[in-house]
Each structure stands twice: as structure tokens, then as C-alpha cells.
Amino acid sequence: MIDIVGDEHDTGPPGRRNPTSTLLKNLRHDLPASVVVFLVAVPLSLGVAHAAGAPLLAGLISAVVGGVVASLFGASVLQVSGPSAALTIVIAETISAFGWAATCAITAAAGVVQILFGVSRVARAALAISPAIVHGLLAGIGLILVLGQLHVVLGGVAGSSTIANILALPGRIVGHHDQAALVGVVTVGVLLAWTRMPRSVRRVPGPLAAVALATGLSVAAGLDLPRVDLPNGLPGLGFVPEAPSGSWAAIIAAVLSIALIASLESLLSAVSIDKLRDGPRTDLNRELIGQGLANVAAGSLGGFPVTGVVVRTMTNFEAGARTRASAILHSVWILGCCLFLAGALRLIPLAALAGLLVYVGAKLVNVTNLREVRRHGDLPVYLATLLGAVAVNLLTGVAAGIAVALALMLRRMLFSGIHVEQDGSRTRVVIEGALTFLSVPRLTTVLAEVPARSEVTLELFVDYLDHAAFDCLRGWQRAYERAGGVVIVDEIGHPWFERGKAGVPTVRRGVASRVVPRWLAPWSEWQAEHLELPSQRGGSVPLCRGASEFQRRTAPLLRSTWDGLANGQQPHTLFVTCGDARIVPNLITTSGPGDLFTVRNIGNLVPHAGAEADFSVGAAIEYAVGLLNVREVVVCGHSGCGAMKALLGDAPTGLAHLGGWLRHGEATMRRQASEGPVLLDGARPAQEGDRLALHNVVQQLENLRSYPVVEAALARGELRLTGMYFDVGKANVYLLDAAHRSFTSAASPVKS
């Protein structure tokens, strides 16, 4: 998801700093970055204006205004704004319908709409549009651009529509090619080859190199070609946009088209650069206000519409820019170029700009984005947007994409995971996802497939269950049971169905109580609470039911994990704990298969290495530390421990093996008698058995040191000993702070 914050700062960490030194430090990075962006922006600005049929100077005006106004008033620190290829098609159509002066007024009006977008804080809503629609729209624009400019590159003129360009392209390819075709092909060839050049060569931006080489070739060969037509000096400030005349519907459509496309590309560019840079995220609403002000200024001065441009923004970042000063300085260099280097710009052939636009348009059809869209199952949305944009117009493409996206969403809801599975003689109906009135036709079809008068398990793993779906399930269950069948409701997560049957349906997800997933809660407890048949409630629960549940639901999720463990184990921890059924080591340590080498016994005792008897614990210690090379040994005690109660005199009689084993706990009794109290969160536990359990953990850690393999690993710094205590009633884990003779909450663990 995209993080949106209310404020954005260019500065670093808070504190007193010298503003002059900070400015100079950042300027060391911003100044060279601005030069690189300037070299990329000039040919692109001219090419975009040429492709749209706008005055070429309009592209440069847009680059200057975008770099200054959008950078000063927008929120993105590194965003570089200017004319974008994404707007060439809609601007070309607008110029054709209303003329250039009226198009400038429409651009200014689109800027006002963008400001209203930002003030009303709808940037977040704009990002709700599927990425498949955004990428499909950009790909459609790129395809239109390529198909139109290819005719110019090959020495012809672009047709009036994309379909006409497609039909005429084969004849253009095999037809006669003049000098313009040579220049255009050279431009495209240089751009394609530039990415394979050595890094030292690629310090010169590809667009600049391609246009410069093509221009040099045309001048050296004395080619007579149409070239960039710029006025002598900048136009005066007397330019006044004209109010468009004609259909109000067409005018409003043009304004909204420019505002929406410019806003989408600007937001896409800002979000893309946020993913790469450190610091606060961009306030996207403020960025829209800045882009809107830039378009008001650009339209008023006779410039092309402004957007945040991904190509220039990424170039700015890769060149090492630190602040918005880089974008502002790049505008200064463009302005200086217009004033003092206009003669050099007039040498650029228009065919070279067309070749540059073919390359830029092809880059908009991003294969990586296409693969990502396909992986998410949204390829139909992408294709619908692209085809609609190419065949009709851009707004039609967006509308087609939204329509297909909604259709896919409805289909996924209609055909949510509802299916029948046979389990021997039993039948299982599995229902997953949101179950609403839209799913009822599919649900009734599937339920009709269930064999009559058999035992059916109805597995509900649903996010939401509405009234219509609830009535459908309840009606089917009653009818099926009246006909002699048996229905067992197996509801995972929140009991939507059971609560409704009890007369308290849940009508909103927000008020659904939190339910422990059954793979975390005790299986016996879950089954006792959720089984449908009264005869199966309570009493002992066969473990095979839990094994069956594991095999059907959990095993498929963890099969790849166990597959990686099939040839050996490499646990990181030896975990010594009590055999008490309430202690679940993997659960209280958030670990999984292959993590813990576990030793369980009565009282989590570790017999001294010199003591008689138990070879089992000693063998496990030697195996884990000496052969498996675990990095940590944990001894975990717990509250309410029966072994501690037995040591205090509450031992059952007549159990010889238990009595013999508990002799290993006598050292713990001596420690408690001779040492001061061990505290739990700064206090002594109320129960004497729990106080002894704390001493017991400390004593067993000391016993561990009596094993030569442990002592050697500690000496090498390859092993750590950790004391742990679990309060069963509070579900709290505590870790031993040996220096302070206290166990502290694992929420703020002690430093080893």
C-alpha cells in the first residue's frame, strides 16, 4: 500500500544546523544533477510539443514553468515536472478541435481542476484506480505515439487516427524513404545502442546523444530537412489564452482528460520516487495543488500542459539530487538555452525528434508492468484499457478498464471458493471468501450436488456472510436434515453462521469478535465449542481428528518448509522445558519446524553432569551442542508446575520413578534456602511453587555449565544460555536478567 502523510520536509534530522552550510552541501549534489536533467529535458520537451502539433516553444515554456512552479509549491522533493508524452494524444485532439490559444485556456482550467482535487483531498481516491488501468493507459498512449511518429520517421505524415496509421504503416515501410527517414532511423538506432555503451560513455544522456548525433549528421551532410522553428528570443508577456468555443460537453471532456491524465502520471511518478528515496512520504494532495498551479501558469503563458514526468524524475534521482533545488536549476538552464542557444536548437531536424518520440512511446509499453499485471490476474483490465485508448480515445480506454475491473470483481465474488470435496463416504462442502447475495446462485448449484442422506461437513471459512447467503445455508441445512442427512458445521474464524442461528447475526465485519484461529487454539477446545452435533460436544476428542485437520489444511501450507528439512536439521536453539501440556514451545517462541531441538521432562530439570542416572538429557545436550552446533540453550520454567509442588512436599506416593527423578531438583531446594529471592517483574510471586520455579530455572542453567561440551562452546563465544519463565494464567513470557536476579517481560527483553 502507499503511505500518505500530511506534511513533507526537505530537511534532514531535527536540530540546530547552519542553513548556509546545508545549502552548499546539498548544492554539490543538486547542481550536477540539474545539468543532467536539463540535457534530457530539452530534446524531450521539443519532441513532445512536436508530436502534439503544438508550437515547439510551448514545450520549453512548460519545462521552465513545471520545474519552478511545481517544485516550489508541490510536495515531492525530487519530482521534475514538464511536458509529458502521456498528454500528446489528448492535446493533439484538443488543438485540432479548438486551436492552440483555446487549448492553453483549457490547460489553465485543467490546472484549476487539479487544485480542487488537491484541496478536496481526493489524491488517495485517485490511487484506488487499478494499476492495471494506469499501466494499460500509458501503454495505449505509447502505442498511439509510436504508430503516429513512425510515419514521420519514415519520411511521411501521421494519419488522423490510430487505425489509419496502422493501415498505412505497411505501405510506408516498403515505400520510398527520403533524407528524413535516414535521420529518424539514426536517432532510434543510437537510443537503442546507448544502453549497451560503457558506463563512461553513458554519462551523456541517451536522448541528448541521439539528437546531437542525428543533428550533426544532417548538418555535415548538408541535408535539406524541416528543423526546429523557434522565435528570436522569448515571446512577450502579452500572450492571452482564448476562451474555447463549441460544444460545452467537448470542452469539459478536454479539461477533465488533461486534469485526470496529468494527475495520474504525477501521482505515479511521486509514488515511484518515494519507494526509492529515504525520508517522509510525499503529501500527494499538496503535490496535486502544485501541479495545478503549474498548469495554470503554463496555460496562461502559452505552454504545454505540465505533469510530473517519471523519466526526468528518475534521472534526477539517479544523478544524485538531494533537494528540489535541482528541478528549479534545470529550469534555469532551459531558460538560458532559449535565450542564448536558440540558434543551436534551430539546427535540430524534426525527424530526430520524431525518432526520439518513437523510442519514448515504446518505453511506455513496459513489459515488466505487463508481467506484474498478468501475475495479479488483471491482464483483461490492462488489455481493455489499452484497446479502448487505441481504438477510440483515452477516456474510453479508462472507462473500459474500470468496467472490466468491476466485472472481474463481481465474478470473483460470484465464484468465490464454493466447491464439494469427497472424503471417502463423507462429503465436505468448502466455502471460502465473502458470501453475499451475489454468491447465492452459485451456492445453491453446489449444494444441489451433495449426495442425499449422507454425513456432510459444511466448512465455512468466510470473511462475511450476509442475510441472503445465511438464509440459503440455513434453509438447505434444515431441508437436508429433514430428509435424513447429517450436517456438521465446521466454521473457521468468526462464527458468522452460528451467531445468526442463535438470533444474534453479525451485520458488520467491524463488530465481529476476534476469534482465535483453530490452528492456534487447542483443538479439543475448538471442537467442543464449534461442533454442530450435541452428541459430539464435550468428552475426549480423538487425536486423529486433529491429524486429519492438519493434513487437509496446514500441511499444504508448510509442505515446502518440510521439504527443505527432509535431509537434515539445523536448529538454532536447544529448548529444555517441562512436559506440562500447557507449554507449547513453538507457540510461545513464534518458531516453526526446524527451529527448536526440544527436551521435555518433569520439572525442566538438567541433571548435573556428574550425577548418576539420566543419560537421556545429557545425550540430548551433547548432540545439540556438540553435533548440531546450536547457538542458544533455553531453560523454560512455568507457573503452576506440578514438579515444584512435589519438591515442596506435595508429591504423590508409590511412584518410584517420579521420586527418583525429582532428586535432581534437590539442588534447587538448596539454592532457594541459601540464596535471596528471584523476582518476577520486580516482585515475588504469590505462590511458593512459582517462587521455587524461578530458582529452578537459574539452577538448571548452572547445571548446564557442568557439561564439558557446553563449557567449551561458552568459552569460544559460540553459545548463549537463556532463562525463560512462562506465566500460564497471564500468557506472559519472561526472560532472566542474571545481573539483577530478576525475570523481566519479553516485551522489553534484557540485552545479553
Side-chain angles (χ1 to χ4, degrees), residues 304-445:
F304 200 88
V306 170
T307 78
V309 187
V310 176
V311 174
R312 301 183 200 190
T313 302
M314 291 302 175
T315 301
N316 194 37
F317 173 79
E318 291 168 0
R322 294 285 183 86
T323 71
R324 62 187 74 229
S326 174
I328 296 172
L329 285 172
H330 114 281
S331 296
V332 174
W333 310 142
I334 295 175
L335 182 61
C337 183
C338 293
L339 292 174
F340 305 111
L341 297 176
L345 295 179
R346 293 192 191 99
L347 297 175
I348 299 175
L350 296 182
L353 298 181
L356 175 61
L357 265 293
V358 168
Y359 180 78
V360 171
K363 296 283 284 184
L364 288 176
V365 187
N366 192 303
V367 177
T368 302
N369 291 335
L370 179 58
R371 289 178 184 146
E372 185 71 15
V373 166
R374 183 175 178 273
R375 190 160 50 243
H376 285 277
D378 286 338
L379 185 58
V381 178
Y382 178 94
L383 293 176
T385 307
L386 187 152
L387 293 175
V390 170
V392 188
N393 56 49
L394 300 182
L395 286 182
T396 300
V398 173
I402 292 174
V404 173
L406 290 173
L408 285 178
M409 181 187 69
L410 286 174
R411 182 184 181 279
R412 287 163 184 162
M413 293 187 69
L414 286 169
F415 294 93
S416 58
I418 307 173
H419 60 278
V420 175
E421 296 178 2
Q422 291 299 134
D423 186 10
S425 61
R426 298 179 179 178
T427 302
R428 191 164 60 251
V429 179
V430 181
I431 302 174
E432 299 173 310
L435 199 60
T436 68
F437 66 95
L438 295 172
S439 305
V440 169
R442 167 72 176 167
L443 180 60
T444 55
T445 300

Side-chain angles (χ1 to χ4, degrees), residues 101-115:
T103 298
C104 291
I106 290 173
T107 297
V112 174
V113 172
Q114 286 183 285
I115 294 172

Side-chain angles (χ1 to χ4, degrees), residues 42 46 55-60 227-234 337-339 341-348:
V42 169
L46 292 171
L56 297 183
L57 186 62
L60 298 176
R227 299 180 187 271
V228 169
D229 182 20
L230 290 178
N232 293 319
L234 290 177
C337 183
C338 293
L339 292 174
L341 297 176
L345 295 179
R346 293 192 191 99
L347 297 175
I348 299 175

Side-chain angles (χ1 to χ4, degrees), residues 574-580 598-609 611-621 633-638 641-648 657-671 689 692-707 724:
L574 168 60
F575 198 86
V576 182
T577 190
C578 186
D580 193 297
T598 306
V599 174
R600 306 191 69 151
N601 59 52
I602 304 300
N604 47 275
L605 300 176
V606 178
H608 194 279
E612 294 182 5
D614 191 80
F615 291 109
S616 173
V617 176
I621 292 170
V633 180
V634 175
V635 177
C636 178
H638 66 96
C641 181
M644 297 303 103
K645 295 176 183 178
L647 285 172
L648 290 169
H657 289 88
L658 178 62
W661 172 254
L662 289 177
R663 283 201 296 270
H664 295 302
E666 292 173 356
T668 297
M669 297 292 293
R670 292 194 296 271
R671 169 179 286 276
L692 183 63
L694 298 177
H695 277 283
N696 186 54
V697 172
V698 179
Q699 180 61 46
Q700 305 319 309
L701 291 174
E702 186 176 309
N703 289 353
L704 276 168
R705 295 178 180 273
S706 67
Y707 289 82
M724 184 181 291

Side-chain angles (χ1 to χ4, degrees), residues 351 363 494 566 572 713:
K363 296 283 284 184
H494 180 74
H572 53 68

Side-chain angles (χ1 to χ4, degrees), residues 20-275:
T20 303
S21 66
T22 301
L23 177 63
L24 293 175
K25 182 179 178 181
N26 288 330
L27 201 58
R28 290 170 47 200
H29 301 276
D30 291 332
L31 187 59
S34 69
V35 174
V36 175
V37 179
F38 153 69
L39 296 175
V40 172
V42 169
L44 284 177
S45 299
L46 292 171
V48 167
H50 169 62
L56 297 183
L57 186 62
L60 298 176
I61 292 173
S62 173
V64 173
V65 171
V68 175
V69 178
S71 297
L72 286 176
F73 296 99
S76 182
V77 179
L78 300 182
Q79 174 119 287
V80 181
S81 301
S84 168
L87 280 168
T88 54
I89 309 305
V90 68
I91 293 301
E93 294 174 351
T94 306
I95 294 173
S96 176
F98 303 104
W100 173 244
T103 298
C104 291
I106 290 173
T107 297
V112 174
V113 172
Q114 286 183 285
I115 294 172
L116 294 176
F117 284 164
V119 171
S120 57
R121 310 190 68 80
V122 299
R124 192 184 298 268
L127 291 176
I129 296 175
S130 169
I133 295 176
V134 176
H135 296 313
L137 180 64
L138 292 177
I141 292 169
L143 195 57
I144 295 169
L145 201 57
V146 169
L147 292 171
Q149 294 304 305
L150 266 178
H151 286 274
V152 181
V153 168
L154 296 175
V157 178
S160 58
S161 70
T162 304
I163 303 300
N165 286 330
I166 294 174
L167 295 176
L169 190 58
R172 183 71 63 190
I173 293 174
V174 300
H176 172 71
H177 304 306
D178 56 12
Q179 297 173 344
L182 173 64
V183 172
V185 170
V186 167
T187 305
V188 175
V190 172
L191 287 166
L192 292 174
W194 206 252
T195 56
R196 296 175 175 84
M197 294 292 181
R199 179 172 295 186
S200 57
V201 176
R202 283 188 282 114
R203 289 179 180 175
V204 178
L208 175 66
V211 172
L213 289 172
T215 302
L217 173 65
S218 69
V219 173
L223 302 181
D224 184 18
L225 296 171
R227 299 180 187 271
V228 169
D229 182 20
L230 290 178
N232 293 319
L234 290 177
L237 297 179
F239 177 84
V240 178
E242 295 179 1
S245 59
S247 167
W248 275 105
I251 295 171
I252 293 173
V255 170
L256 290 178
S257 297
I258 295 172
L260 289 173
I261 294 172
S263 298
L264 279 175
E265 183 168 11
S266 298
L267 295 177
L268 180 65
S269 176
V271 169
S272 299
I273 200 64
D274 274 353
K275 293 178 180 178

